[in-house]
Amino acid sequence: ATSPSQIDLTWTDNSNNETGFRIERSVTSENSGFSQIAEIGANILSYPNTGLTSNTQYWYKVKAFNDGGNSSYSNTATATTLSPPPPSVTLNSPNDNLLKKSPTTFSCSSGTSGVTSMSLYGDWGAGWHMNESKSCLLNDGCATSFGSKSTSDGSYKWNCQACVSNNCGFATFNKTFNIDSTAPKISFSTPPTE
């Protein structure tokens, strides 16, 4: 397979008198469910089968034909289309290594078409877990913000996951934010205290 939606077929021409080739495909098994998907001319030894479903196994066989009839079938070949790449994710805010007071609001987006949900994951001190999830209604990507998360002083990691049905992906790198809620302190250095 060459992509999530294409399998390129090639075969050997063992005759010199064909009019063309008939290509058959099955989505059921190597022994049943075949139907013709293409008829191509003589001496053409390849065919790009496009418009396929991702992560799906297909079976193929080919026969030559001319005015005298059909050849016997070729051997049966099989291939599985590739899985689609996971959706891209951008972590918008807070910026990496931001120092701020609690609570913190998070924003992330995906430009991948067909995103159905976006989830906020965080390591708030007890290991990674999903904190909140939202559905996406747009077909051309998704951008969302997650409500404020109150945390105690410390350093925390976060990331977002975008999903197109069951195909999910995280941003390439986690981001870190730091919470420091202590009040600033100041003391005079001049004039000297007595």
Side-chain angles (χ1 to χ4, degrees):
T2 57
S3 78
S5 62
Q6 181 171 330
I7 294 173
D8 290 339
L9 305 172
T10 59
W11 56 89
T12 303
D13 183 357
N14 295 322
S15 62
N16 59 8
N17 64 344
E18 78 272 354
T19 302
F21 297 95
R22 293 185 175 117
I23 303 161
E24 296 184 13
R25 179 185 71 206
S26 171
V27 295
T28 313
S29 77
E30 64 179 322
N31 298 315
S32 65
F34 282 91
S35 60
Q36 184 173 316
I37 59 168
E39 182 174 299
I40 58 176
N43 301 317
I44 299 172
L45 306 179
S46 64
Y47 176 76
N49 189 197
T50 60
L52 303 174
T53 302
S54 63
N55 200 31
T56 303
Q57 186 173 15
Y58 295 90
W59 290 267
Y60 297 91
K61 56 187 179 181
V62 178
K63 62 185 174 184
F65 69 93
N66 62 18
D67 290 340
N70 295 321
S71 70
S72 58
Y73 282 107
S74 67
N75 60 307
T76 301
T78 186
T80 300
T81 50
L82 302 176
S83 295
S88 64
V89 178
T90 301
L91 306 179
N92 300 321
S93 66
N95 292 330
D96 202 22
N97 292 312
L98 180 73
L99 178 62
K100 66 178 297 176
K101 296 183 182 296
S102 186
T104 302
T105 301
F106 301 88
S107 171
C108 48
S109 60
S110 175
T112 302
S113 179
V115 170
T116 54
S117 67
M118 187 81 74
S119 302
L120 171 67
Y121 280 76
D123 182 355
W124 316 131
W128 284 95
H129 66 279
M130 183 176 68
N131 191 268
E132 186 178 348
S133 186
K134 292 189 175 182
S135 296
C136 298
L137 302 176
L138 302 174
N139 289 326
D140 59 350
C142 181
T144 192
S145 292
F146 296 96
S148 296
K149 309 300 171 217
S150 293
T151 51
S152 56
D153 287 4
S155 183
Y156 303 96
K157 295 182 188 308
W158 70 284
N159 204 327
C160 284
Q161 180 188 58
C163 294
V164 177
S165 297
N166 292 325
N167 182 26
C168 300
F170 285 94
T172 305
F173 301 102
N174 301 322
K175 281 192 175 181
T176 301
F177 68 99
N178 303 289
I179 300 294
D180 184 358
S181 60
T182 56
K185 296 179 183 179
I186 189 167
S187 61
F188 284 107
S189 56
T190 56
T193 57
E194 301 193 21

